[in-house]
Amino acid sequence: MAREQLSGAAYAWNGFADRQQLAAALAGNVAARLTKAIAERGTALLAVSGGTTPAKFFAALSSIPIAWDKVTVTLVDERFVPPTSPRSNAGLVAAKLLQSKAAAARFVPLYHEAASIEAAAASDSEALQSLAWPLDVVVLGMGADGHTASFFPDADKLAELLDPSSQRIVLPVHAQSAGEPRLTLSMARIVAAGFIALHIEGEDKRTAFDGAMGAGVKKPIREVLEAAPIPVEVFWAP
Ligand SMILES: O=C(O)[C@H](O)[C@@H](O)[C@H](O)[C@H](O)COP(=O)(O)O
């Protein structure tokens, strides 16, 4: 595990020979952190990302026997679609994570029906406000464009999205490259997590990550690493 310090953007690189080994290692790390949180405060709060990368990790985590009835799972971000949509991250989590042992966990979605995405985000629904913040664990993904969560480089009001002092829990996102409008946890809620993992796979993502750590225009993933008070644990496999 190589620990890197880049002018405030600290991260630890955890490289694996294949995606199954990564899934087992990341699941073991997350399960241990959740168990520690339950021992310390009686409950644990986990936020996960969607997309195509997490499926193996979700399957590995779901089978680990921890006190899942004391775990609340929410999302880092969500497309503005109902859980029945094939684009829904809530649907992905229900199908791939909240199974087996993890079926006993409580799930709190970001999406709920509303007249607009702004209305949905502004309500920061009652269920979210009452969660036992800060997050104990957050697992981020990253796009090849350097976005993470729904902090897309072409998002409207990107500076607001990246503001680490925001008091908001959930923010609305409009970005041409995102497809549908998004709901995202705010930067402040993400970087306050006790354990921040970035799960990326493939050479394209490694190249994109290395590029984001270099000079030039700061991509959102670099902004998150710089805003985080603790090193981000990067989990990568080819
Ligand atoms: O809603 C989403 O799409 C995710 O939360 C998003 O932030 C994801 O982590 C990246 O876009 C990577 O997506 P892939 O895993 O599909 O490459």
Side-chain angles (χ1 to χ4, degrees), residues 29-183:
N29 267 274
V30 169
R33 297 277 173 161
L34 295 176
T35 298
K36 180 171 178 288
I38 292 165
E40 289 170 354
R41 57 189 194 133
T43 184
L45 183 57
L46 164 66
V48 293
S49 295
T52 58
T53 300
K56 287 188 180 69
F57 157 62
F58 285 167
L61 181 58
S62 69
S63 64
I64 300 178
I66 65 172
W68 283 106
D69 60 325
K70 296 187 171 57
V71 177
T72 298
V73 179
T74 191
L75 288 166
V76 169
D77 64 338
E78 178 64 284
R79 298 82 184 271
F80 195 51
V81 294
T84 51
S85 164
R87 293 279 298 157
S88 167
N89 287 338
L92 175 74
V93 167
K96 301 292 184 184
L97 176 55
L98 303 177
Q99 299 288 329
S100 184
K101 304 281 195 288
R106 175 190 176 207
F107 178 67
V108 177
L110 298 191
Y111 172 86
H112 52 273
E113 272 199 51
S116 70
I117 192 162
E118 283 70 19
S123 71
D124 279 354
S125 70
E126 172 55 31
L128 277 174
Q129 284 163 352
S130 62
L131 294 185
W133 303 96
L135 291 164
D136 295 293
V137 175
V138 63
V139 183
L140 301 172
M142 188 192 78
D145 63 355
H147 85 260
T148 190
S150 282
F151 306 148
F152 289 87
D154 65 338
D156 300 349
K157 303 180 187 171
L158 181 58
E160 276 181 46
L161 290 176
L162 297 174
D163 177 4
S165 64
S166 167
Q167 297 303 309
R168 296 289 300 277
I169 299 176
V170 176
L171 290 166
V173 182
H174 293 276
Q176 196 68 38
S177 63
E180 58 281 290
R182 303 284 187 104
L183 293 164

Side-chain angles (χ1 to χ4, degrees), residues 1-15 196-198 200 206 208-214 221-222 224-226 228-236:
M1 175 177 73
R3 195 165 286 276
E4 304 281 341
Q5 179 70 35
L6 284 156
S7 64
Y11 67 93
W13 184 267
N14 305 274
I196 308 171
L198 172 64
I200 51 176
R206 177 170 192 161
F209 180 83
D210 289 346
M213 294 306 109
I221 186 62
R222 177 75 183 255
V224 170
L225 264 66
E226 291 191 353
I230 58 174
V232 169
E233 295 286 341
V234 185
F235 287 74
W236 177 82

